[in-house]
Amino acid sequence: MGLLETLGLRAKAAPRKSSVEAQLNPPVMDQPFGSYFGSGSYGGYNNYASALVRQDAASVPAIARCRALICGTVASIPLKTYSITTGEVLPNLPWVDQLDKRQPLEITLAWLCDSLFYYGQAFLKVEEVYKDDNRPARFSWVQNDRVTAKYSAMNTEVDYYMINNVRVPDSGVGSLVTFQSMDQGLLLRNATTIRAAIDLEKAAAIAAQTPMGSGYIKNTGADLPDQQVQGILNAWRTARQSRGTAYLTSTLEFSPISFSPAQMMYNEAKAYLALELSRACNVPASMLDAEQIRSNTYQNVLDQRKEFVAYTLMPFINAIQCRLSMDDLLPRGTCVKFAVDETFLRVDTMARLQATEKLLELGLIDLNQAKEMEGLSYEGSDSSDT
């Protein structure tokens, strides 16, 4: 066959094209066996909004504080590109410095962490791609409530995604880059505790809005029509907002039935729920002022930062930097990492200079490398060396 094709007596066979098809959508990690999304049928639809509304949970001060600590800290740490084999720092692609060209990188990262914090999943929509390799070039953050997923027959895989009930492509412009957290997210994982905190905030607000304790007005005379009763109650409330002294006729008597705020123990309940929510968010209670600390030296502040990074921030940091380092976003052999040690965990100047001086004495680095470690400019080449 090869000789005939060479002599032109037979047409050459078309080269076989090899193609790889793969499922890039993430698997479903938290679906209990035997239950299905949608109307009790196979392959149902589901969005990532839980029974709790994010805005209600964010109104709880302890949750708002945890969210600010986690999202604000992670977003303030810069991203750097490294070579996996040599560890060399490489120039960042434009999207590494600015995921969404409409806003700073810190804003996009903060809301990316917000989605992971509350929902356990986050989404970036691909807005631009490079022509040479079709890798994404720019993104935009997508709110979780806008995303709907179509699941496979057994609800173990995601067939495709929809934004505002419109299906998005599996790749290229308009597709979604999914970020998965290491748990189900706060709204699903700790819904009971959050509801208790929300109810407590509402109860405290009602107590603050009520000038006097709740009670009832007893009429010992003739019955009054409903409209007149409502008028008396409205007048009573309006008067109590301007003065504490009240006057009632001989046929009316006020009987209080409510407890005082001290008896209701609002402060104690708030402190308890703040401690519980700090545990739910995996944030040290001392950072929420949920418990008193007698003293803080510089040394234990730095140790507290290290513990905060290791046990609280690292799940969010790894979820973001590992996803951004996958082959569909970066060329193989490179990765993106948060520069934690150079920024948030950077030690004081004197300790850094002592370590740098020791490295210079041992000949492990030269003067230019030492200056680079401190963010100083190079001296330039010396003419005597030529």
Side-chain angles (χ1 to χ4, degrees), residues 34-120:
S35 59
Y36 305 102
F37 296 126
S39 304
S41 60
Y42 289 91
Y45 297 86
N46 184 49
N47 60 22
Y48 289 94
S50 65
L52 276 175
V53 179
R54 177 201 170 277
Q55 285 76 7
D56 292 340
S59 66
V60 179
I63 297 179
R65 173 66 172 166
C66 292
R67 189 267 182 197
L69 286 170
I70 294 174
C71 300
T73 305
V74 173
S76 64
I77 303 174
L79 289 169
K80 291 186 178 181
T81 306
Y82 298 88
S83 171
I84 297 177
T85 56
T86 63
E88 178 187 2
V89 179
L90 303 175
N92 284 341
L93 290 173
W95 65 260
V96 178
D97 292 326
Q98 191 177 6
L99 287 168
D100 190 335
K101 63 181 182 181
R102 301 170 299 175
Q103 60 190 21
L105 174 66
E106 290 78 4
I107 304 300
T108 310
L109 287 178
W111 286 99
L112 201 61
C113 289
D114 182 277
S115 296
L116 294 174
F117 176 76
Y118 283 110
Y119 298 96

Coordinates of all heavy atoms in Angstrom, one line a residue, residues 34-120:
G34 N -29.1 8.7 46.8 CA -30.5 8.4 46.8 C -31.4 9.6 46.7 O -32.6 9.4 46.6
S35 N -30.9 10.8 46.7 CA -31.7 12.0 46.6 C -31.3 12.7 45.4 O -30.2 12.7 44.9 CB -31.6 12.9 47.8 OG -30.3 13.3 48.0
Y36 N -32.2 13.5 44.8 CA -32.0 14.0 43.5 C -32.3 15.5 43.5 O -33.2 16.0 44.2 CB -32.8 13.3 42.4 CG -32.6 11.9 42.4 CD1 -33.5 11.0 42.9 CD2 -31.4 11.3 41.8 CE1 -33.3 9.6 42.9 CE2 -31.2 10.0 41.8 CZ -32.1 9.1 42.4 OH -31.9 7.8 42.4
F37 N -31.6 16.3 42.7 CA -32.0 17.7 42.5 C -33.2 17.8 41.6 O -33.4 16.9 40.8 CB -30.8 18.5 41.9 CG -29.6 18.5 42.8 CD1 -28.3 18.1 42.4 CD2 -29.7 19.0 44.1 CE1 -27.2 18.1 43.2 CE2 -28.6 19.0 44.9 CZ -27.4 18.6 44.5
G38 N -33.8 18.9 41.6 CA -34.9 19.1 40.7 C -36.2 18.5 41.3 O -36.3 18.1 42.4
S39 N -37.2 18.3 40.5 CA -38.5 17.8 40.9 C -38.5 16.3 41.2 O -39.3 15.5 40.6 CB -39.5 18.2 39.9 OG -39.5 19.6 39.6
G40 N -37.6 15.8 42.0 CA -37.5 14.4 42.3 C -37.2 13.5 41.1 O -37.5 12.3 41.1
S41 N -36.5 14.1 40.1 CA -36.3 13.3 38.9 C -34.8 13.2 38.6 O -34.0 14.0 39.2 CB -37.0 13.9 37.7 OG -36.6 15.2 37.5
Y42 N -34.4 12.3 37.7 CA -33.0 12.2 37.4 C -32.6 13.4 36.5 O -33.3 14.0 35.7 CB -32.8 11.0 36.5 CG -32.9 9.7 37.3 CD1 -34.1 9.0 37.5 CD2 -31.8 9.2 38.0 CE1 -34.2 7.9 38.2 CE2 -31.9 8.0 38.7 CZ -33.1 7.4 38.8 OH -33.2 6.2 39.6
G43 N -31.3 13.8 36.7 CA -30.8 14.9 35.9 C -31.5 16.2 36.1 O -31.9 16.9 35.1
G44 N -31.7 16.6 37.4 CA -32.4 17.8 37.6 C -31.6 19.1 37.5 O -30.4 19.0 37.2
Y45 N -32.2 20.2 37.8 CA -31.5 21.5 37.8 C -31.4 22.0 39.2 O -32.2 21.6 40.1 CB -32.3 22.5 37.0 CG -32.5 22.2 35.5 CD1 -33.5 21.4 35.1 CD2 -31.6 22.7 34.6 CE1 -33.7 21.1 33.8 CE2 -31.7 22.4 33.2 CZ -32.8 21.6 32.8 OH -32.9 21.3 31.5
N46 N -30.4 22.8 39.5 CA -30.2 23.3 40.8 C -29.3 24.6 40.7 O -28.4 24.6 39.9 CB -29.5 22.3 41.7 CG -29.4 22.9 43.1 OD1 -30.4 23.4 43.7 ND2 -28.3 22.8 43.7
N47 N -29.7 25.6 41.4 CA -28.8 26.7 41.5 C -28.1 26.7 42.9 O -28.4 25.9 43.7 CB -29.5 28.1 41.3 CG -30.6 28.3 42.3 OD1 -30.6 27.7 43.4 ND2 -31.6 29.2 41.9
Y48 N -27.1 27.6 43.1 CA -26.3 27.5 44.2 C -26.7 28.4 45.4 O -26.0 28.7 46.3 CB -24.8 27.8 43.8 CG -24.2 26.7 43.0 CD1 -24.2 26.7 41.7 CD2 -23.7 25.6 43.7 CE1 -23.7 25.7 40.9 CE2 -23.2 24.5 42.9 CZ -23.2 24.6 41.6 OH -22.7 23.6 40.8
A49 N -28.0 28.9 45.2 CA -28.5 29.7 46.4 C -29.1 28.7 47.4 O -29.8 27.7 47.0 CB -29.6 30.6 45.9
S50 N -28.8 28.9 48.6 CA -29.3 28.0 49.7 C -30.5 28.6 50.3 O -31.1 29.6 49.8 CB -28.2 27.8 50.7 OG -28.0 29.0 51.4
A51 N -31.1 27.9 51.3 CA -32.3 28.3 51.9 C -32.1 29.7 52.6 O -33.0 30.4 52.8 CB -32.8 27.3 52.9
L52 N -30.8 29.9 53.0 CA -30.5 31.2 53.7 C -30.1 32.2 52.6 O -29.3 31.9 51.7 CB -29.4 31.0 54.7 CG -29.8 30.6 56.1 CD1 -28.5 30.3 56.9 CD2 -30.6 31.6 56.8
V53 N -30.5 33.4 52.7 CA -30.1 34.5 51.9 C -28.8 35.1 52.4 O -28.6 35.3 53.6 CB -31.2 35.6 51.8 CG1 -30.7 36.7 50.9 CG2 -32.5 35.0 51.3
R54 N -27.8 35.3 51.4 CA -26.5 35.8 51.8 C -26.6 37.1 52.5 O -25.9 37.3 53.5 CB -25.6 35.9 50.6 CG -24.3 36.4 50.9 CD -23.6 37.0 49.6 NE -22.4 37.8 50.0 CZ -22.4 39.0 50.4 NH1 -23.5 39.7 50.5 NH2 -21.3 39.6 50.7
Q55 N -27.5 38.0 52.1 CA -27.6 39.3 52.7 C -28.0 39.2 54.1 O -27.6 40.0 55.0 CB -28.5 40.2 51.9 CG -28.0 40.7 50.6 CD -27.9 39.7 49.5 OE1 -28.4 38.5 49.6 NE2 -27.3 40.0 48.3
D56 N -28.9 38.3 54.4 CA -29.3 38.1 55.8 C -28.2 37.6 56.7 O -28.0 38.1 57.8 CB -30.5 37.1 55.9 CG -31.8 37.7 55.3 OD1 -31.9 38.9 55.2 OD2 -32.6 36.9 54.9
A57 N -27.4 36.7 56.2 CA -26.3 36.2 57.0 C -25.2 37.2 57.1 O -24.6 37.4 58.2 CB -25.7 34.9 56.3
A58 N -25.0 38.1 56.1 CA -24.0 39.1 56.2 C -24.4 40.2 57.1 O -23.5 41.0 57.6 CB -23.7 39.7 54.8
S59 N -25.7 40.3 57.5 CA -26.1 41.3 58.5 C -25.7 41.0 59.9 O -25.7 41.9 60.8 CB -27.6 41.5 58.4 OG -28.3 40.3 58.9
V60 N -25.3 39.7 60.2 CA -24.8 39.4 61.5 C -23.4 39.9 61.7 O -22.5 39.6 60.9 CB -24.8 37.8 61.7 CG1 -24.3 37.4 63.1 CG2 -26.3 37.3 61.4
P61 N -23.1 40.7 62.7 CA -21.8 41.3 62.8 C -20.6 40.3 62.9 O -19.6 40.6 62.3 CB -21.9 42.1 64.1 CG -23.4 42.4 64.3 CD -24.1 41.2 63.7
A62 N -20.8 39.2 63.6 CA -19.7 38.2 63.7 C -19.4 37.6 62.3 O -18.2 37.5 62.0 CB -20.1 37.1 64.7
I63 N -20.4 37.4 61.5 CA -20.1 36.8 60.2 C -19.5 37.9 59.3 O -18.6 37.6 58.5 CB -21.4 36.3 59.5 CG1 -22.0 35.1 60.4 CG2 -21.2 35.9 58.1 CD1 -23.3 34.6 59.9
A64 N -20.0 39.1 59.4 CA -19.4 40.2 58.6 C -17.9 40.4 59.0 O -17.1 40.7 58.1 CB -20.2 41.5 58.8
R65 N -17.6 40.3 60.2 CA -16.2 40.4 60.7 C -15.3 39.3 60.1 O -14.2 39.5 59.6 CB -16.1 40.4 62.2 CG -14.7 40.4 62.8 CD -14.0 41.6 62.5 NE -12.7 41.7 63.2 CZ -11.7 42.5 63.0 NH1 -11.8 43.4 62.0 NH2 -10.6 42.5 63.7
C66 N -15.8 38.0 60.2 CA -15.1 36.9 59.6 C -14.9 37.0 58.1 O -13.8 36.8 57.6 CB -15.8 35.6 59.9 SG -15.9 35.1 61.7
R67 N -15.9 37.5 57.4 CA -15.8 37.6 56.0 C -14.8 38.7 55.7 O -14.0 38.6 54.7 CB -17.2 38.0 55.4 CG -17.3 38.0 53.9 CD -17.0 39.4 53.4 NE -17.1 39.5 51.9 CZ -16.7 40.5 51.2 NH1 -16.0 41.5 51.7 NH2 -16.8 40.5 49.9
A68 N -14.8 39.8 56.4 CA -13.8 40.9 56.1 C -12.4 40.4 56.4 O -11.5 40.8 55.6 CB -14.2 42.1 57.0
L69 N -12.2 39.6 57.5 CA -10.9 39.2 57.8 C -10.3 38.2 56.7 O -9.2 38.3 56.2 CB -10.9 38.4 59.1 CG -11.0 39.3 60.4 CD1 -11.2 38.5 61.6 CD2 -9.7 40.2 60.5
I70 N -11.2 37.3 56.3 CA -10.7 36.3 55.3 C -10.6 36.9 53.9 O -9.5 36.8 53.3 CB -11.7 35.1 55.3 CG1 -11.7 34.4 56.6 CG2 -11.4 34.1 54.1 CD1 -12.7 33.3 56.7
C71 N -11.7 37.5 53.4 CA -11.7 38.0 52.0 C -10.8 39.2 51.9 O -10.0 39.3 50.9 CB -13.1 38.4 51.6 SG -14.3 37.0 51.7
G72 N -10.7 40.1 52.9 CA -9.9 41.2 52.8 C -8.4 40.9 52.8 O -7.6 41.5 52.1
T73 N -8.0 39.9 53.7 CA -6.6 39.5 53.8 C -6.2 38.8 52.5 O -5.1 39.1 52.0 CB -6.4 38.7 55.0 OG1 -6.9 39.3 56.2 CG2 -4.9 38.4 55.2
V74 N -6.9 37.8 52.0 CA -6.5 37.1 50.8 C -6.4 38.0 49.6 O -5.5 38.0 48.8 CB -7.5 36.0 50.6 CG1 -7.2 35.3 49.2 CG2 -7.5 34.9 51.7
A75 N -7.4 39.0 49.5 CA -7.4 39.9 48.3 C -6.2 40.8 48.4 O -5.8 41.3 47.3 CB -8.7 40.6 48.3
S76 N -5.7 41.1 49.5 CA -4.6 42.1 49.6 C -3.2 41.4 49.3 O -2.2 42.2 49.2 CB -4.5 42.7 51.0 OG -4.3 41.7 52.0
I77 N -3.2 40.1 49.2 CA -1.9 39.4 48.9 C -1.7 39.3 47.4 O -2.6 38.8 46.7 CB -1.9 38.0 49.6 CG1 -2.1 38.2 51.1 CG2 -0.5 37.3 49.3 CD1 -2.2 36.8 51.8
P78 N -0.6 39.8 46.9 CA -0.4 39.8 45.4 C -0.1 38.3 44.9 O 0.3 37.5 45.6 CB 0.9 40.6 45.2 CG 1.6 40.6 46.5 CD 0.5 40.5 47.6
L79 N -0.4 38.1 43.6 CA -0.2 36.9 42.9 C 1.1 36.9 42.1 O 1.4 38.0 41.5 CB -1.4 36.5 42.0 CG -2.7 36.1 42.6 CD1 -3.8 36.1 41.6 CD2 -2.6 34.8 43.3
K80 N 1.9 35.8 42.1 CA 3.1 35.7 41.4 C 3.1 34.4 40.6 O 2.6 33.4 41.1 CB 4.3 35.9 42.3 CG 4.5 37.2 42.9 CD 5.8 37.3 43.7 CE 6.1 38.7 44.2 NZ 7.4 38.8 45.0
T81 N 3.8 34.5 39.5 CA 3.9 33.3 38.6 C 5.3 32.7 38.8 O 6.3 33.4 38.8 CB 3.7 33.6 37.1 OG1 2.5 34.3 37.0 CG2 3.7 32.4 36.3
Y82 N 5.3 31.3 39.0 CA 6.6 30.6 39.3 C 6.8 29.5 38.3 O 5.8 28.9 37.7 CB 6.6 30.1 40.7 CG 6.5 31.1 41.8 CD1 5.3 31.5 42.3 CD2 7.7 31.6 42.4 CE1 5.2 32.5 43.3 CE2 7.6 32.6 43.4 CZ 6.4 33.0 43.8 OH 6.3 33.9 44.8
S83 N 8.0 29.1 38.1 CA 8.3 27.8 37.4 C 8.3 26.7 38.4 O 8.9 26.8 39.4 CB 9.7 27.9 36.7 OG 10.1 26.7 36.2
I84 N 7.6 25.7 38.0 CA 7.4 24.5 38.9 C 8.7 23.8 39.1 O 9.1 23.3 40.2 CB 6.3 23.6 38.4 CG1 5.0 24.3 38.4 CG2 6.2 22.3 39.3 CD1 3.8 23.5 37.9
T85 N 9.5 23.7 38.1 CA 10.8 22.9 38.2 C 11.9 23.6 38.9 O 12.6 23.1 39.7 CB 11.2 22.5 36.7 OG1 11.4 23.7 36.0 CG2 10.2 21.6 36.1
T86 N 12.0 24.9 38.6 CA 13.2 25.7 39.2 C 12.8 26.6 40.3 O 13.6 27.1 41.0 CB 13.8 26.5 38.1 OG1 12.9 27.5 37.6 CG2 14.3 25.6 36.9
G87 N 11.5 26.9 40.4 CA 11.0 27.9 41.4 C 11.3 29.3 41.1 O 11.1 30.2 41.9
E88 N 11.7 29.6 39.9 CA 12.1 30.9 39.4 C 10.8 31.7 39.3 O 9.7 31.3 38.8 CB 12.8 30.9 38.1 CG 13.1 32.2 37.5 CD 13.7 32.1 36.1 OE1 13.8 31.0 35.6 OE2 14.1 33.2 35.5
V89 N 10.9 33.0 39.6 CA 9.8 33.9 39.5 C 9.7 34.4 38.0 O 10.6 34.8 37.5 CB 9.9 35.2 40.4 CG1 8.7 36.1 40.2 CG2 10.0 34.7 41.9
L90 N 8.5 34.2 37.4 CA 8.3 34.5 36.0 C 7.4 35.7 35.8 O 6.7 36.0 36.8 CB 7.7 33.3 35.3 CG 8.4 31.9 35.3 CD1 7.6 30.8 34.7 CD2 9.8 32.1 34.7
P91 N 7.5 36.4 34.7 CA 6.6 37.5 34.5 C 5.1 37.1 34.5 O 4.8 36.0 34.0 CB 7.0 38.1 33.1 CG 8.4 37.6 32.9 CD 8.4 36.2 33.6
N92 N 4.3 37.9 35.1 CA 2.8 37.5 35.2 C 2.2 37.8 33.8 O 2.5 38.8 33.1 CB 2.1 38.4 36.3 CG 2.4 37.9 37.7 OD1 2.9 36.8 37.9 ND2 2.2 38.8 38.6
L93 N 1.2 36.9 33.5 CA 0.3 37.2 32.4 C -0.6 38.4 32.8 O -0.8 38.6 34.0 CB -0.5 36.0 32.1 CG 0.2 34.8 31.4 CD1 -0.7 33.6 31.3 CD2 0.8 35.2 30.1
P94 N -1.1 39.1 31.8 CA -1.9 40.3 32.2 C -3.1 39.9 33.1 O -3.4 40.7 34.0 CB -2.4 40.8 30.8 CG -1.4 40.4 29.9 CD -0.9 39.0 30.4
W95 N -3.7 38.8 32.9 CA -4.9 38.5 33.8 C -4.5 38.1 35.2 O -5.3 38.2 36.1 CB -5.7 37.3 33.2 CG -5.1 36.0 33.0 CD1 -4.5 35.5 31.9 CD2 -4.9 35.0 34.1 NE1 -4.0 34.2 32.2 CE2 -4.3 33.9 33.5 CE3 -5.3 34.9 35.4 CZ2 -4.0 32.7 34.2 CZ3 -5.0 33.8 36.1 CH2 -4.4 32.7 35.5
V96 N -3.2 37.7 35.4 CA -2.8 37.4 36.8 C -2.7 38.7 37.6 O -3.0 38.7 38.8 CB -1.4 36.7 36.8 CG1 -0.9 36.4 38.2 CG2 -1.5 35.4 36.0
D97 N -2.3 39.8 36.9 CA -2.3 41.1 37.6 C -3.7 41.8 37.7 O -3.9 42.6 38.5 CB -1.3 42.0 36.9 CG 0.1 41.6 37.0 OD1 0.5 41.0 38.1 OD2 0.9 41.8 36.1
Q98 N -4.6 41.4 36.8 CA -5.9 42.0 36.8 C -6.9 41.0 36.1 O -7.0 41.0 34.9 CB -5.9 43.3 36.0 CG -7.1 44.2 36.2 CD -7.0 45.5 35.5 OE1 -6.0 45.8 34.8 NE2 -8.0 46.4 35.6
L99 N -7.6 40.3 36.9 CA -8.5 39.3 36.4 C -9.6 39.9 35.5 O -9.9 39.4 34.4 CB -9.1 38.5 37.5 CG -8.2 37.5 38.3 CD1 -8.9 37.0 39.5 CD2 -7.9 36.3 37.4
D100 N -10.2 41.0 36.0 CA -11.2 41.7 35.3 C -10.7 43.1 35.0 O -10.3 43.8 35.9 CB -12.5 41.8 36.2 CG -13.7 42.3 35.4 OD1 -13.5 43.0 34.4 OD2 -14.8 42.1 35.9
K101 N -10.6 43.4 33.7 CA -10.0 44.7 33.3 C -10.9 45.9 33.7 O -10.4 47.0 33.6 CB -9.7 44.7 31.8 CG -11.0 44.7 30.9 CD -10.5 44.7 29.5 CE -11.7 44.6 28.5 NZ -11.3 44.6 27.1
R102 N -12.1 45.7 34.2 CA -12.9 46.8 34.6 C -12.7 47.2 36.1 O -13.2 48.2 36.5 CB -14.4 46.4 34.5 CG -14.8 46.0 33.0 CD -16.2 45.4 33.0 NE -16.2 44.2 33.8 CZ -17.4 43.5 34.1 NH1 -18.5 43.9 33.6 NH2 -17.3 42.4 34.8
Q103 N -12.0 46.4 36.9 CA -11.8 46.7 38.3 C -10.5 46.1 38.8 O -9.9 45.2 38.1 CB -12.9 46.1 39.1 CG -13.0 44.6 39.0 CD -14.3 44.0 39.6 OE1 -15.3 44.8 39.8 NE2 -14.3 42.8 40.0
P104 N -9.9 46.6 39.9 CA -8.7 46.1 40.4 C -8.7 44.6 40.7 O -9.8 44.1 41.0 CB -8.4 47.0 41.6 CG -9.3 48.2 41.4 CD -10.5 47.7 40.7
L105 N -7.6 44.0 40.8 CA -7.5 42.6 41.1 C -8.0 42.3 42.5 O -8.7 41.3 42.7 CB -6.0 42.1 41.0 CG -5.7 40.7 41.5 CD1 -6.4 39.7 40.5 CD2 -4.2 40.5 41.5
E106 N -7.8 43.2 43.4 CA -8.2 43.0 44.8 C -9.7 42.8 44.9 O -10.2 42.1 45.7 CB -7.7 44.1 45.7 CG -6.2 44.2 45.9 CD -5.4 44.7 44.8 OE1 -6.1 45.2 43.8 OE2 -4.2 44.8 44.8
I107 N -10.4 43.6 44.1 CA -11.9 43.6 44.2 C -12.4 42.2 43.7 O -13.3 41.6 44.3 CB -12.5 44.7 43.4 CG1 -12.0 46.1 43.9 CG2 -14.0 44.7 43.5 CD1 -12.3 46.4 45.3
T108 N -11.9 41.7 42.6 CA -12.3 40.4 42.1 C -11.9 39.3 43.0 O -12.7 38.4 43.2 CB -11.6 40.2 40.7 OG1 -11.8 41.3 39.8 CG2 -12.2 39.0 40.0
L109 N -10.7 39.3 43.6 CA -10.3 38.3 44.5 C -11.2 38.3 45.8 O -11.5 37.3 46.3 CB -8.9 38.5 44.9 CG -7.8 38.1 43.8 CD1 -6.4 38.4 44.3 CD2 -8.0 36.6 43.4
A110 N -11.6 39.5 46.2 CA -12.4 39.6 47.5 C -13.7 38.9 47.2 O -14.2 38.2 48.1 CB -12.6 41.0 47.9
W111 N -14.4 39.2 46.1 CA -15.7 38.6 45.8 C -15.5 37.1 45.5 O -16.5 36.3 45.6 CB -16.4 39.4 44.8 CG -16.9 40.6 45.3 CD1 -16.4 41.9 45.2 CD2 -18.1 40.8 46.2 NE1 -17.1 42.8 45.9 CE2 -18.2 42.2 46.5 CE3 -19.1 39.9 46.6 CZ2 -19.2 42.7 47.3 CZ3 -20.1 40.5 47.4 CH2 -20.1 41.8 47.7
L112 N -14.4 36.7 44.9 CA -14.2 35.3 44.7 C -14.1 34.5 46.0 O -14.7 33.5 46.2 CB -12.8 35.1 43.9 CG -12.6 33.8 43.1 CD1 -13.7 33.6 42.1 CD2 -11.2 33.8 42.5
C113 N -13.4 35.1 47.0 CA -13.4 34.5 48.3 C -14.7 34.6 49.0 O -15.1 33.6 49.7 CB -12.3 35.3 49.2 SG -10.6 35.0 48.8
D114 N -15.5 35.6 48.7 CA -16.8 35.7 49.3 C -17.7 34.6 48.9 O -18.4 34.0 49.7 CB -17.4 37.1 48.9 CG -18.8 37.3 49.4 OD1 -19.8 36.8 48.9 OD2 -18.9 38.0 50.5
S115 N -17.6 34.2 47.6 CA -18.4 33.1 47.1 C -18.0 31.8 47.7 O -18.8 30.9 48.1 CB -18.3 33.0 45.6 OG -18.9 34.1 45.0
L116 N -16.7 31.6 47.9 CA -16.2 30.4 48.5 C -16.6 30.3 50.0 O -16.8 29.3 50.5 CB -14.6 30.3 48.4 CG -14.1 30.1 47.0 CD1 -12.6 30.2 47.0 CD2 -14.5 28.8 46.4
F117 N -16.6 31.5 50.6 CA -16.9 31.6 52.0 C -18.3 31.2 52.3 O -18.6 30.4 53.2 CB -16.6 33.0 52.5 CG -16.9 33.3 53.9 CD1 -16.2 32.8 55.0 CD2 -18.1 34.0 54.3 CE1 -16.5 33.0 56.3 CE2 -18.4 34.3 55.6 CZ -17.6 33.8 56.6
Y118 N -19.3 31.8 51.5 CA -20.7 31.6 51.8 C -21.2 30.3 51.1 O -22.0 29.6 51.7 CB -21.5 32.8 51.3 CG -21.4 34.0 52.2 CD1 -20.7 35.1 51.9 CD2 -22.0 33.9 53.5 CE1 -20.7 36.2 52.7 CE2 -22.0 35.0 54.3 CZ -21.3 36.2 54.0 OH -21.2 37.3 54.8
Y119 N -20.8 30.1 49.8 CA -21.5 29.0 49.0 C -20.6 27.8 48.8 O -21.1 26.7 48.4 CB -21.8 29.6 47.7 CG -22.8 30.7 47.7 CD1 -22.4 32.0 47.7 CD2 -24.2 30.5 47.8 CE1 -23.3 33.1 47.7 CE2 -25.1 31.5 47.8 CZ -24.7 32.8 47.8 OH -25.6 33.8 47.8
G120 N -19.3 27.9 49.0 CA -18.4 26.7 48.8 C -18.0 26.6 47.3 O -17.3 25.7 47.0

